[in-house]
Amino acid sequence: MSLATDLVTYRKIVQARKAVLEMPEYHPPLAGRDALRLDFNENTFAPSPRVVEKLLALTAEGLTKYPEREPVERIVATHFGLKPDEVLLTNGVDEAIHLICVAFLETDDEALIATPTFSCTT
């Protein structure tokens, strides 16, 4: 056997925590897409014509780069009457939580996380 085969063969399988294993199985809703449903985590309506116009104007090069945050943060700040340095756009809530923790928590600090953070219906 090669070293790689040995590592794969004898590798310990990682198991989820007990709390995760005991969670009920998620069954997404299959109906009700005729109104705004935030619990779907999707837009249940067609995009606005302005969004379609912007999408049609995208080039292959434009799709390969992340947009700069600062210009959009300035637009958001103006819209909400804030200063640009009071706005931070992130790539989802996970990045926002990570940045807050990195900015404010020291090595030995503890953070309390309430669960569930949103309700779900079954």
Side-chain angles (χ1 to χ4, degrees), residues 66 69 73 88-103:
Y66 285 110
R69 279 193 346 242
E73 288 173 345
L88 175 64
L89 301 180
T90 62
N91 295 312
V93 73
D94 288 346
E95 182 186 17
I97 292 169
H98 172 76
L99 291 174
I100 289 169
C101 290
V102 169

Side-chain angles (χ1 to χ4, degrees), residues 9-65:
T9 305
Y10 300 108
R11 187 175 176 161
K12 183 177 178 181
I13 306 257
V14 177
Q15 294 291 323
R17 295 180 305 124
K18 182 181 177 200
V20 172
L21 294 173
E22 291 175 351
M23 291 174 66
E25 184 177 331
Y26 173 72
H27 296 279
L30 301 175
R33 284 182 160 82
D34 56 349
L36 180 61
R37 293 280 307 266
L38 298 178
D39 59 331
F40 285 156
N41 198 26
E42 62 187 35
N43 182 357
T44 53
F45 299 111
S48 77
R50 289 172 57 192
V51 169
V52 172
E53 180 183 325
K54 290 289 186 181
L55 289 172
L56 292 172
L58 283 175
T59 63
E61 182 180 317
L63 286 172
T64 61
K65 298 177 183 171

Side-chain angles (χ1 to χ4, degrees), residues 3 7 51 87 91 110-111 119 122:
L3 177 61
L7 289 175
V51 169
V87 175
N91 295 312
E110 293 183 16
S119 62
T122 56

